[in-house]
Amino acid sequence: MLDNTQIERLEAEAVNSAKTRQPLYAPRRKIFPKQASGSFRRFKWLVMAITLGIYYLTPWLRWDRGAFAPDQAVLLDLVNRRFYFFFIEIWPQEFYYVAGLLMMAGIGLFLITSTVGRAWCGYTCPQTVWVDLFLVAERAVEGDRNARIKLDAGPWTARKLVLRASKHAIWLIIAVATGGAWIFYFADAPTLVVEVIKGTAAPAAYVTITVLAATTYTFGGLMREQVCTYMCPWPRIQAAMLDENSLTVTYNDWRGEPHSRHAKKVLAAGQPVGDCLDCNACVAVCPMGIDIRDGQQLECITCALCIDACDSVMHKLGREHGLISYATLSDYNANMAIATAGGSRAVDPSLVRSADGSFSDKVARFHIRKIFRPRTFIYMGAWSAVGLALLYALLTRERLELNVLHDRNPQFVTLSDGSIRNGYTIKLLNMIPEPRTIIVTMQGLHGAEMSVVGVDLPADRSFAIPVEPDRLKMLKAFVRQPADQVRGAAQSFKFRVENKATFESDEYTATFNAPEIAR
């Protein structure tokens, strides 16, 4: 175990410290976050690998849908107006599935925030993930925090020029790869990548790559924390999502204050001293450049790297981890009440410890049951309800649809033999990637018969119509009824379509119009 004075004190100052608050539009101060190590950093590496893997690799996954559909597992086919997601195929009129998923994403974000704070921001937000990736490249080229600070402050030498050019070149490669990966979601990836390289791709592909590369390079490499602080609305919204039982990254000053690097001298003088030795490790690793000891701040994305840094120091000193930890406001207030004797005095960390130096049994500790409260149950219930509704709609949806449009002008025609004829446009929608033969039948309308333009068969009440895979088939049909069978100026009847192989069917109630005199 080390003594307080043996722990290195890092020269790190928060960019917007509580002691020296900067104006809102102050010039940016560069942040050089130190490489952290610990359980939360490992978890962030895992999340970064998974999210980047999903983004870059998904367009290359294959899914066999047969000979009449693309085999890309995830594809947003704008040309044919289809969205393919593995075994699911979404048509434009089924956009409510996307709307439902967006609702689930929003409710899920509320649920996560109300339970574990800004976990989305700290772990899975694209801005966080790509900034982490850019920092990996920066550290690989320029070194860790101290080396980067020294390089930035030094004169422009040949070495500095080479390092900076190398770093920005890697950033540009990442940015272009990010823009390139995006366009592969909208066309067959293997085909499109060859076209892009040969220069034969559509201009929209190159424009999209350029725009996304520029924004990725700017946001991930140049602006970084400023995107979260000034551009993102969520830091301002999330405060409404939190309550006293939400987990947030917290500096437990009820055990950390008063902080001092010379604990033995302070104790010898009869003064209380906390566990914090003001080493600034938490400030040095923060990608937002804040000091968590200043309390909850808009800039904090709860990435928990300060927890790893502080736990590492506490481990070296042989003290309990958790000086900085995920904690709820209710637990924090309860422990502060103990450390301040109910608010009657300054923080005295000895009040939270027993005679043997361990924490008192009165100290409040987090328990998982605090997450499960009415608020989270409401969010969870709403999220589950939307999900179940989408699942039910997906499992019960029909893949054969019928729509019929009556001719508007003329609404009817009186033929030479006195019979009445109405014209209809029949739309058969085959929503599976296989050819099908659809039986179109007319039900009702006594004595009437139907003829279909382009079908070389005599008039009848039923026809077998071949429909191509994943296509809309439009038919022009004429329904004729003898004059002596007409029962009114407007008679209702049905068109019915059926696929005998899959037992799918659909019906449409149409109207047959006739002149008043025909009655």
Side-chain angles (χ1 to χ4, degrees):
M1 292 185 296
L2 302 180
D3 183 75
N4 284 23
T5 56
Q6 295 176 292
I7 299 295
E8 178 188 6
R9 187 178 192 278
L10 300 174
E11 295 301 324
E13 183 182 358
V15 296
N16 195 19
S17 171
K19 299 176 182 177
T20 55
R21 285 293 184 191
Q22 299 293 322
L24 181 61
Y25 298 105
R28 179 179 184 247
R29 293 172 57 186
K30 292 183 180 179
I31 298 172
F32 302 91
K34 179 180 172 63
Q35 175 67 60
S37 61
S39 56
F40 289 104
R41 178 63 268 183
R42 288 191 294 272
F43 181 66
K44 280 176 66 67
W45 287 134
L46 177 62
V47 172
M48 186 177 81
I50 292 173
T51 51
L52 289 176
I54 291 173
Y55 178 74
Y56 287 115
L57 299 179
T58 297
W60 302 94
L61 298 178
R62 303 292 100 182
W63 189 268
D64 185 14
R65 300 186 181 90
F68 303 99
D71 64 349
Q72 187 161 310
V74 179
L75 176 65
L76 186 58
D77 188 353
L78 296 181
V79 175
N80 296 305
R81 294 181 292 180
R82 306 283 189 278
F83 173 52
Y84 298 95
F85 185 81
F86 293 93
F87 63 91
I88 300 173
E89 179 183 353
I90 303 297
W91 285 59
Q93 65 269 31
E94 297 176 314
F95 191 79
Y96 54 82
Y97 287 110
V98 178
L101 290 175
L102 292 176
M103 289 178 60
M104 291 184 68
I107 297 171
L109 188 58
F110 295 162
L111 173 62
I112 293 297
T113 303
S114 67
T115 53
V116 291
R118 289 174 63 184
W120 160 261
C121 300
Y123 299 97
T124 55
C125 174
Q127 175 67 15
T128 298
V129 172
W130 261 266
V131 167
D132 259 358
L133 181 60
F134 274 64
L135 282 173
V136 169
E138 183 172 288
R139 291 191 184 102
V141 174
E142 298 182 353
D144 205 359
R145 182 175 183 273
N146 291 341
R148 300 204 308 277
I149 293 176
K150 182 178 179 181
L151 181 69
D152 187 71
W156 280 95
T157 62
R159 177 179 177 275
K160 181 174 180 177
L161 185 62
V162 169
L163 291 178
R164 285 293 167 87
S166 300
K167 178 183 72 174
H168 286 275
I170 296 173
W171 283 1
L172 284 172
I173 292 172
I174 295 172
V176 172
T178 301
W182 178 255
I183 66 171
F184 295 148
Y185 284 89
F186 298 86
D188 182 65
T191 304
L192 183 56
V193 70
V194 173
E195 293 177 349
V196 170
I197 294 173
K198 289 183 176 180
T200 58
Y206 297 104
V207 172
T208 302
I209 292 175
T210 303
V211 171
L212 289 180
T215 53
T216 302
Y217 175 80
T218 302
F219 292 166
L222 304 181
M223 295 184 66
R224 293 184 179 174
E225 77 288 344
Q226 289 190 308
V227 174
C228 305
T229 302
Y230 296 109
M231 297 177 63
C232 181
W234 188 242
R236 292 152 181 85
I237 298 173
Q238 61 94 26
M241 301 289 105
L242 301 175
D243 58 30
E244 65 276 6
N245 291 311
S246 301
L247 278 174
T248 57
V249 174
T250 305
Y251 169 61
N252 296 307
D253 47 359
W254 50 267
R255 62 167 281 196
E257 299 296 322
H259 60 261
S260 173
R261 289 187 57 79
H262 306 284
K264 292 182 179 179
K265 293 181 180 180
V266 175
L267 289 172
Q271 299 295 322
V273 64
D275 288 338
C276 179
L277 55 145
D278 198 23
C279 65
N280 288 333
C282 55
V283 181
V285 300
C286 180
M288 299 299 294
I290 65 171
D291 190 340
I292 193 62
R293 294 171 296 181
D294 291 336
Q296 285 296 310
Q297 298 158 74
L298 175 147
E299 298 89 346
C300 180
I301 60 173
T302 66
C303 64
L305 295 182
C306 54
I307 297 179
D308 281 342
C310 188
D311 283 351
S312 176
V313 174
M314 292 297 105
H315 180 74
K316 293 176 182 178
L317 295 173
R319 300 176 187 173
E320 301 92 336
H321 293 185
L323 176 58
I324 301 175
S325 66
Y326 271 103
T328 65
L329 180 61
S330 59
D331 288 343
Y332 172 83
N333 287 338
N335 293 333
M336 278 296 287
I338 298 173
T340 59
S344 62
R345 54 188 293 183
V347 174
D348 184 353
S350 65
L351 297 179
V352 299
R353 295 185 181 274
S354 56
D356 61 359
S358 61
F359 285 119
S360 168
D361 292 337
K362 296 179 181 179
V363 171
R365 294 173 173 83
F366 173 75
H367 193 279
I368 191 67
R369 66 173 177 271
K370 293 184 179 180
I371 288 180
F372 300 102
R373 55 194 191 276
R375 183 176 190 172
T376 55
F377 281 124
I378 292 173
Y379 286 142
M380 197 176 300
W383 185 86
S384 301
V386 175
L388 290 173
L390 288 178
L391 182 61
Y392 175 79
L394 185 66
L395 294 176
T396 59
R397 65 179 181 164
E398 295 289 343
R399 300 285 78 196
L400 175 63
E401 289 189 4
L402 167 67
N403 193 20
V404 179
L405 298 177
H406 192 290
D407 286 354
R408 299 183 62 184
N409 189 20
Q411 292 194 359
F412 58 86
V413 173
T414 303
L415 301 179
S416 58
D417 61 356
S419 60
I420 308 299
R421 187 184 73 183
N422 282 205
Y424 302 87
T425 299
I426 300 176
K427 297 181 179 181
L428 304 177
L429 188 57
N430 177 18
M431 301 172 69
I432 65 172
E434 297 176 5
R436 295 202 279 186
T437 299
I438 307 300
I439 307 301
V440 182
T441 305
M442 185 179 66
Q443 296 179 338
L445 202 62
H446 185 69
E449 58 185 9
M450 170 177 58
S451 59
V452 178
V453 176
V455 177
D456 191 17
L457 292 172
D460 202 345
R461 293 181 66 86
S462 181
F463 290 91
I465 306 295
V467 183
E468 296 178 351
D470 266 338
R471 285 294 181 268
L472 172 68
K473 179 100 174 187
M474 296 183 64
L475 304 174
K476 185 65 178 181
F478 293 101
V479 176
R480 185 181 68 83
Q481 186 179 36
D484 59 352
Q485 300 292 331
V486 175
R487 297 292 182 265
Q491 304 173 77
S492 293
F493 69 102
K494 290 183 179 181
F495 285 104
R496 177 181 173 83
V497 294
E498 184 178 9
N499 180 20
K500 299 291 187 180
T502 62
F503 303 103
E504 291 180 276
S505 63
D506 195 13
E507 294 182 348
Y508 187 93
T509 300
T511 301
F512 185 87
N513 296 325
E516 292 285 341
I517 193 172
R519 295 193 297 171

